[in-house]
């Protein structure tokens, strides 16, 4: 079910260029990997912003998913 959702979301993003994807509370990146894969498969050129309240999760995300068009930022949705 999630793969179908990721593909549908990626297709919508690919059709609406340029786009920015903001992932709030990315944590360990369990959703990030499938979303990035779906975006790549759809040919979507996007800026992807991976956010979390924890610098440790940002470092982990940067190591796993870093690359062109990707940003990693602290975001505490309750305070920011």
């Amino acid at each position: 079910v999630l793969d179908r959702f990721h593909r549908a979301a990626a297709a919508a993003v690919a059709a609406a260029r340029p786009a920015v994807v903001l992932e709030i509370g990315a944590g360990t990146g369990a959703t990030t990997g499938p979303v990035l894969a779906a975006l790549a498969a759809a040919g979507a050129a996007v800026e992807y912003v991976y956010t979390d309240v924890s610098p440790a999760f940002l470092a982990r995300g940067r190591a796993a998913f870093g690359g062109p068009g990707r940003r990693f930022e602290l975001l505490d949705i309750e305070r920011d």
Side-chain angles (χ1 to χ4, degrees):
V1 173
L2 282 178
D3 284 340
R4 186 174 52 207
F5 172 76
H6 293 144
R7 286 190 305 271
V13 169
R17 295 178 199 196
V20 176
V21 175
L22 173 64
E23 183 175 358
I24 298 174
T28 63
T31 298
T32 309
V35 169
L36 289 174
L39 289 168
V46 301
E47 179 179 358
Y48 197 94
V49 185
Y50 181 108
T51 70
D52 202 274
V53 298
S54 168
F57 281 138
L58 291 181
R60 182 176 177 174
R62 189 176 291 110
F65 307 110
R70 302 193 185 143
R71 293 188 331 209
F72 301 83
E73 298 183 10
L74 284 175
L75 177 63
D76 183 341
I77 200 69
E78 293 181 5
R79 293 182 2 170
D80 292 332

